[in-house]
Amino acid sequence: MSEFPYERLRRFPDVEASNLQAHDATDLLLVDRGLDLAADRGLTGAEIVVIGDGYGAITLALMDAGMAGLRVHQDLATGRRALAHNAAALGLVRTPDGDGVSAEAEPGRAASHPESGTRFVPHELDAELLTGARLVLLQLPKALAELEEIADAVARWAADDVVLVAGGRVKHMTLAQNDVLTRSFARVQAQRAERKSRLIIADGPRDVPETPPFPVRETHVLTAFAEPVEVTLAAHGGAFAGARIDIGTRVLLDVLDRVPSAGVVLDLGCGTGALAAVYALTHPDARVIATDRSAAAVASARATMAADGIADRVQVTHDDAGSELPDASADVVLLNPPFHLGTSVHTAAATRLFEAAARLLAPGGELWTVYNSALAYKGELTRLIGPTEQVHRTAKFTVTRSIRA
């Protein structure tokens, strides 16, 4: 078997930079241990599940080694598209005309190669992903709540003899992760660190509660409006801030009553959907769209809209920076941009969303943005969107209003 060309993998269409890589040592450890366990257990791919594969390094290396029918769950839309692009670039999957250019594989639809059949099938984090699985390879998530939801899902739906191999960079790993895994598995054993990464092996799935632990829900009463607004937020494990209202979103909510009434309002990078839900509750005639690149966020936002009785009035989509929405289609964009890419601090994530807002806003439309004041985005917003003014400022956060030129 030839050495897999990890160096050829790209992050595209995600942010690419010299300090951002498309694979790490943990991917290599997971592949090596996964192939060893697959050989020991006679697995050829269909009983193997890969979760959290950032840009396809794990999935594609397994495919290159001959595994077929892999089931894959990636949270980010950018990761799903990168996996498809990388698979096509390496010739591991092809479109029916054989041109080597692969569109993003949708959940439940197999990505195939005409000579070797089904190679991998994308799924959401659900029973279809895990039923009958005997080996699960997991890149450890940052949030303990996300790990809890994944561990519960594996214990809930996978085969009784399933082995979960979870890996991460040592500097980001904690004993609390072992504790979380112990709630769902009888045996949890950390392995010796290699190349600054470490694997944790878990097996012996425990009995699970009848009802899955996620999404969680929390009701908030907002008093910054003429009349108090009650909103219930729902959150899956991978949703930022859970069912709480993070401090940046709360600062923008404090001035949301100043945002004009509009025909089409877009919550860009919606998270659990707090901004979209509150705007819809206070503007019943508006068409509201909420979009996020995280599948956990999208599932959370949909659950939020259902909890607040507005699912029929708010469209929630899983997309990369609103890429599937038409140009100049929004009158107002609401945005609380992230400043992290995975475990790296990187402002390029916000820049991509500013650029997306510039494309999506109709002329004269408004972008309302909240950001950490230290990041000083006003100049960039003026350049990319148009005239920008400060609307509100706290000790840590700034809210600006930009008019699309």
Side-chain angles (χ1 to χ4, degrees):
M1 181 180 65
S2 61
E3 188 72 19
F4 182 75
Y6 290 101
E7 70 282 353
R8 291 181 57 189
L9 299 178
R10 292 185 57 190
R11 295 167 55 95
F12 177 84
D14 206 343
V15 174
E16 296 188 297
S18 59
N19 65 327
L20 298 174
Q21 306 302 317
H23 72 283
D24 64 18
T26 306
D27 294 322
L28 277 64
L29 288 181
L30 285 167
V31 169
D32 289 346
R33 181 58 60 89
L35 288 174
D36 287 344
L37 287 170
D40 291 344
R41 312 189 84 196
L43 307 180
T44 59
E47 294 173 300
I48 300 174
V49 171
V50 180
I51 301 176
D53 190 2
Y55 302 95
I58 303 168
T59 303
L60 297 179
L62 294 176
M63 287 166 53
D64 188 60
M67 298 290 140
L70 298 164
R71 285 176 276 174
V72 181
H73 172 67
Q74 296 167 285
D75 182 60
L76 299 184
T78 44
R80 297 179 185 192
R81 294 177 183 181
L83 168 57
H85 282 292
N86 285 325
L90 294 174
L92 293 172
V93 300
R94 292 185 180 274
T95 52
D97 60 6
D99 63 5
V101 179
S102 175
E104 176 188 359
E106 296 295 332
R109 189 179 72 188
S112 302
H113 189 286
E115 296 178 357
S116 54
T118 298
R119 306 312 306 270
F120 69 91
V121 185
H123 288 277
E124 301 301 348
L125 184 63
D126 56 19
E128 289 188 1
L129 171 73
L130 288 159
T131 297
R134 299 183 61 211
L135 175 61
V136 177
L137 304 178
L138 168 67
Q139 264 275 10
L140 283 165
K142 288 195 304 179
L144 291 177
E146 185 173 4
L147 179 58
E148 180 184 356
E149 184 168 21
I150 292 169
D152 174 87
V154 176
R156 183 176 299 275
W157 291 311
D160 290 340
D161 65 346
V162 66
V163 175
L164 170 64
V165 183
R169 302 295 279 168
V170 171
K171 63 182 178 180
H172 300 307
M173 298 177 72
T174 67
L175 291 176
Q177 293 171 325
N178 297 46
D179 295 338
V180 169
L181 290 171
T182 300
R183 294 175 208 158
S184 294
F185 294 91
R187 292 173 293 277
V188 176
Q189 184 173 7
Q191 307 297 292
R192 180 172 56 85
E194 298 181 49
R195 291 172 281 181
K196 300 182 180 180
S197 292
R198 188 190 303 277
L199 299 181
I200 303 173
I201 311 295
D203 65 350
R206 299 183 186 275
D207 292 338
V208 296
E210 182 178 350
T211 302
F214 295 89
V216 296
R217 294 172 177 84
E218 186 174 337
T219 298
H220 307 266
V221 178
L222 308 178
T223 58
F225 297 83
E227 298 289 337
V229 176
E230 184 176 289
V231 61
T232 297
L233 300 184
H236 284 272
F240 175 70
R244 297 176 289 107
I245 299 177
D246 73 271
I247 187 171
T249 296
R250 186 172 290 279
V251 171
L252 183 49
L253 284 170
D254 285 344
V255 296
L256 200 66
D257 61 336
R258 304 188 206 176
V259 176
S261 298
V264 178
V265 176
L266 173 63
D267 183 355
L268 186 60
C270 64
T272 57
L275 294 170
V278 174
Y279 193 93
L281 289 168
T282 54
H283 297 81
D285 295 329
R287 179 190 173 206
V288 181
I289 302 171
T291 186
D292 202 291
R293 69 176 189 151
S294 163
V298 167
S300 302
R302 287 175 178 155
T304 290
M305 304 314 157
D308 291 302
I310 51 176
D312 60 336
R313 294 200 286 114
V314 180
Q315 176 187 357
V316 183
T317 66
H318 187 210
D319 191 10
D320 173 26
S323 66
E324 297 178 1
L325 298 174
D327 293 358
S329 59
D331 302 302
V332 169
V333 171
L334 307 173
L335 175 60
N336 177 10
F339 58 93
H340 283 85
L341 287 171
T343 55
S344 301
V345 176
H346 210 289
T347 58
T351 299
R352 289 187 78 236
L353 293 173
F354 297 158
E355 292 170 343
R359 179 183 68 81
L360 293 165
L361 278 170
E366 300 185 8
L367 169 64
W368 287 67
T369 312
V370 61
Y371 53 87
N372 190 301
S373 298
L375 296 173
Y377 282 140
K378 185 176 178 182
E380 186 172 13
L381 288 165
T382 299
R383 176 176 60 85
L384 293 173
I385 309 293
T388 297
E389 64 173 342
Q390 178 179 303
V391 174
H392 182 51
R393 187 180 180 98
T394 68
K396 291 186 177 180
F397 288 90
T398 296
V399 177
T400 56
R401 169 178 172 260
S402 304
I403 309 298
R404 183 69 173 103

